[in-house]
Amino acid sequence: RDQPRSRGLGDVYKRQEQIWGGVDYSEIKICALHERPALEAHRALLQRAWAPWVLNAQPLQRQKGLVETSEAHPSHTLLLWQGSDLAGSLIARPTDVLGFPNEGWDKVAASGRGERVCALGVSIDPTARGRGHSKRLLAEAKARFGAFVVPVRPTAKPVGQAMEDYLTQTTIEGLSVDPWLRTHQRIGGRVVGVSARAMQMKAPWRQWEQWLGASPSKHSSLVGTLTQQGEMGLYSEANVWVQHGL
């Protein structure tokens, strides 16, 4: 009878590399939405991953745009699975928007179909953050799409600081001080411009207070500027255009 092969040190070290921090990285799989349909699971992921004000301020383009874009372009929506759990996604679409317009996210979300690919969002389940999943999704997008652009929300930019000033701040490596921009740069992304009016939103001021607390305009989750006009709160956000490939 054949005897089972004993596990050597090489097997042990390999398995240790696959399991780190209680996460079995050998179970991570990335596929497109059309390859493994999971519409309800993906909609639930978006609800968990994004702040309520991002999805629910008027116009409801953020939530509607992300959901409709992913389902209209399933071959451009990448899902990251951790075993049977949906841990993250990248939503992209072919667009006819050229150049790097100031309107950014809003313009691409409402655009027609074209040859250029633009990623509109990377969503990671809050329980799965800090594991490199965003980088995995971006790398997979680069492998599948070749070249693509992204209007990036710099997640660490202080409220009120001009985007152009923020972009001048770099680490000793010459990369952005912003961790999300830095993730793009480390897989070859290049900052190519600023989208000054990337996202425009409005909601009753009382609603902003429910979402963000007593001083909503100073909340750390805001990348842009929230101003009160009468009973309404108007929000305007700049993003950073990043080019991958080419």
Side-chain angles (χ1 to χ4, degrees):
R1 296 173 55 187
D2 292 336
Q3 297 296 319
R5 183 174 66 88
S6 62
R7 296 180 66 195
L9 285 178
D11 297 311
V12 174
Y13 291 146
K14 183 177 180 181
R15 188 61 178 156
Q16 287 176 339
E17 290 176 355
Q18 292 174 335
I19 300 180
W20 183 81
V23 179
D24 188 346
Y25 287 93
S26 67
E27 293 187 355
I28 294 174
K29 307 294 182 185
I30 298 178
C31 62
L33 180 60
H34 76 285
E35 296 168 338
R36 185 175 176 179
L39 299 182
E40 292 304 320
H42 189 223
R43 291 178 185 177
L45 169 68
L46 296 177
Q47 289 289 336
R48 297 192 302 273
W50 290 84
W53 67 267
V54 175
L55 295 179
N56 296 305
Q58 301 173 5
L60 294 177
Q61 197 170 18
R62 243 55 57 192
Q63 181 171 341
K64 184 179 178 182
L66 289 170
V67 171
E68 290 188 353
T69 296
S70 66
E71 296 176 10
H73 307 282
S75 63
H76 288 77
T77 297
L78 306 181
L79 306 180
L80 186 147
W81 295 89
Q82 175 83 47
S84 60
D85 297 325
L86 182 57
S89 75
L90 180 147
I91 299 174
R93 59 158 298 168
T95 177
D96 58 4
V97 173
L98 301 177
F100 304 100
N102 277 330
E103 293 77 13
W105 203 102
D106 286 345
K107 187 166 187 175
V108 172
S111 69
R113 182 185 292 267
E115 297 299 319
R116 194 185 203 191
V117 175
C118 180
L120 288 176
V122 175
S123 307
I124 304 297
D125 190 291
T127 64
R129 290 173 183 167
R131 299 175 183 175
H133 291 340
S134 293
K135 187 175 180 179
R136 291 183 177 90
L137 284 163
L138 289 170
E140 182 69 17
K142 193 171 182 179
R144 289 184 181 236
F145 310 144
F148 66 101
V149 296
V150 193
V152 176
R153 302 181 73 238
T155 53
K157 188 186 80 66
V159 175
Q161 183 177 12
M163 188 66 76
E164 290 80 1
D165 293 340
Y166 185 60
L167 291 178
T168 65
Q169 300 175 242
T170 59
T171 66
I172 58 174
E173 304 171 82
L175 302 177
S176 173
V177 295
D178 188 84
W180 186 213
L181 274 174
R182 199 161 59 242
T183 296
H184 285 267
Q185 290 175 322
R186 281 182 169 154
I187 64 166
R190 296 178 291 109
V191 173
V192 291
V194 172
S195 176
R197 300 184 301 279
M199 300 171 78
Q200 309 288 308
M201 301 174 170
K202 65 179 179 179
W205 190 254
R206 288 185 178 180
Q207 183 65 70
W208 286 106
E209 290 178 328
Q210 290 179 14
W211 288 329
L212 302 175
S215 301
S217 60
K218 299 180 181 179
H219 197 272
S220 60
S221 69
L222 300 181
V223 172
T225 302
L226 175 63
T227 57
Q228 184 176 7
Q229 294 188 10
E231 296 182 353
M232 297 297 293
L234 307 181
Y235 179 73
S236 179
E237 176 180 299
N239 289 174
V240 178
W241 282 110
V242 173
Q243 172 79 56
H244 287 275
L246 297 183

